[in-house]
Amino acid sequence: MSAKTLVGIVLGAGESARMGRPKQLLPLGGTTLLNFVVARAERSRLDRVVVVTGANASEVEAHLELSRASVARNPAYRRGNMSSLATGAADVPEAGAVLLLMGDMPGVDVEVIDRFADLWRDEQPWAAVASYRDGVAHPFMLSAPALEAALPLDQPKALWTFLVAEPAGEVRHLEIDRPRPRDVDTPADYEALLAEGWRA
C-alpha cells in the first residue's frame, strides 16, 4: 500500500439499540442496509474497503455480499465508533488515509465517495468532512497523521469534536450540494427513508 492509498472503512458494528433489531440487516434496495452501503463503497474509486462488524457479527457477516471488501470484527464494539474505527484502521496500517463511512447512511452515494477520493489524490489534506446544504455530516476523511492523533480519543462524539466542533488541525470542508444523508437509527427513521422513495 502506498502513502496515497485511500481506504474506506464502513462501520457496521453497532448494537442497534434504538432500532430494536439489527439495523445492518434491514431490507433496502433488494439487499440489506449494510450491503447497500458497502456496495456503494465497492463501486467507488476507493483503493480498498474494510467492513467492521461487531454486534450480532456472525449473523451480519453471514448476510454480507462482498465483491472486493474485507471484514474486520471488533470484539470491543460496545465501546462505540472509535473502537470500530481503530479495528478497521488496524487492518490497513499502511493506508495513506481512511474515509469513514457509516453503515446506516445509505444516502452517501458513489459520487460523494469519489469526490473524497479525488480530493485525497489531488491535495492530500490532513482531514476533510462533507459539508452539505444543511450542515456537516459523514463521510469523514482522515490522513494517517490525523488518524493517529484521533484514535486515542475515547469521549462521546470524539471524532465530531476532533474534526468539526474543535478541529485539531486543518480540516477541509468538501461542499456537497444536497441535504445531509439520513441516519437510520430508529424504526421511524427507516419508515421515513422508505417514504422518501427508497425500496425495501
Side-chain angles (χ1 to χ4, degrees), residues 25-37 39 63 65 199-200:
L25 304 180
L26 291 171
L28 189 71
T31 183
T32 66
L33 174 60
L34 183 56
N35 275 327
F36 191 94
V37 173
H63 286 83
E65 302 164 356
R199 182 172 58 88

Side-chain angles (χ1 to χ4, degrees), residues 100-120:
L100 185 60
L101 298 161
M102 309 306 286
D104 61 359
M105 293 181 72
V108 176
D109 60 17
V110 175
E111 179 184 352
V112 170
I113 297 170
D114 282 347
R115 287 197 57 197
F116 276 93
D118 292 342
L119 175 64
W120 173 249

Side-chain angles (χ1 to χ4, degrees), residues 56-105:
N56 307 294
S58 296
E59 185 180 10
V60 169
E61 290 168 12
H63 286 83
L64 284 174
E65 302 164 356
L66 307 180
S67 63
R68 66 184 184 97
S70 60
V71 175
R73 187 181 289 193
N74 176 16
Y77 62 87
R78 289 186 177 89
R79 291 181 53 199
N81 280 347
M82 291 304 292
S83 69
S84 292
L85 174 58
T87 297
D91 213 43
V92 287
E94 297 177 12
V98 299
L99 185 67
L100 185 60
L101 298 161
M102 309 306 286
D104 61 359
M105 293 181 72

Side-chain angles (χ1 to χ4, degrees), residues 138-149:
H138 286 279
F140 291 168
M141 185 169 71
L142 297 95
S143 67
L147 181 64
E148 183 179 8

Side-chain angles (χ1 to χ4, degrees), residues 3-200:
K4 288 192 175 182
T5 299
L6 178 61
V7 177
I9 297 180
V10 182
L11 300 190
E15 294 182 89
S16 309
R18 286 179 284 173
M19 182 61 67
R21 55 174 167 152
K23 63 182 174 181
Q24 299 93 329
L25 304 180
L26 291 171
L28 189 71
T31 183
T32 66
L33 174 60
L34 183 56
N35 275 327
F36 191 94
V37 173
V38 172
R40 288 188 156 188
E42 289 183 323
R43 292 198 303 271
S44 75
R45 292 196 290 271
L46 292 168
D47 296 302
R48 185 174 165 188
V49 179
V50 177
V51 185
V52 181
T53 62
N56 307 294
S58 296
E59 185 180 10
V60 169
E61 290 168 12
H63 286 83
L64 284 174
E65 302 164 356
L66 307 180
S67 63
R68 66 184 184 97
S70 60
V71 175
R73 187 181 289 193
N74 176 16
Y77 62 87
R78 289 186 177 89
R79 291 181 53 199
N81 280 347
M82 291 304 292
S83 69
S84 292
L85 174 58
T87 297
D91 213 43
V92 287
E94 297 177 12
V98 299
L99 185 67
L100 185 60
L101 298 161
M102 309 306 286
D104 61 359
M105 293 181 72
V108 176
D109 60 17
V110 175
E111 179 184 352
V112 170
I113 297 170
D114 282 347
R115 287 197 57 197
F116 276 93
D118 292 342
L119 175 64
W120 173 249
R121 293 188 179 105
D122 292 344
E123 302 181 29
Q124 297 186 39
W126 184 79
V129 297
S131 186
Y132 298 91
R133 292 176 197 157
D134 49 352
V136 171
H138 286 279
F140 291 168
M141 185 169 71
L142 297 95
S143 67
L147 181 64
E148 183 179 8
L151 285 178
L153 304 174
D154 201 25
Q155 69 267 29
K157 296 285 187 182
L159 207 54
W160 178 268
T161 301
F162 184 75
L163 295 177
V164 183
E166 300 172 12
E170 186 174 349
V171 179
R172 281 287 308 274
H173 282 238
L174 185 61
E175 300 290 332
I176 309 291
D177 189 18
R178 63 180 75 171
R180 284 181 295 182
R182 181 185 296 278
D183 287 330
V184 182
D185 288 327
T186 66
D189 293 333
Y190 180 55
E191 292 303 321
L193 190 75
L194 298 181
E196 291 170 356
W198 295 74
R199 182 172 58 88

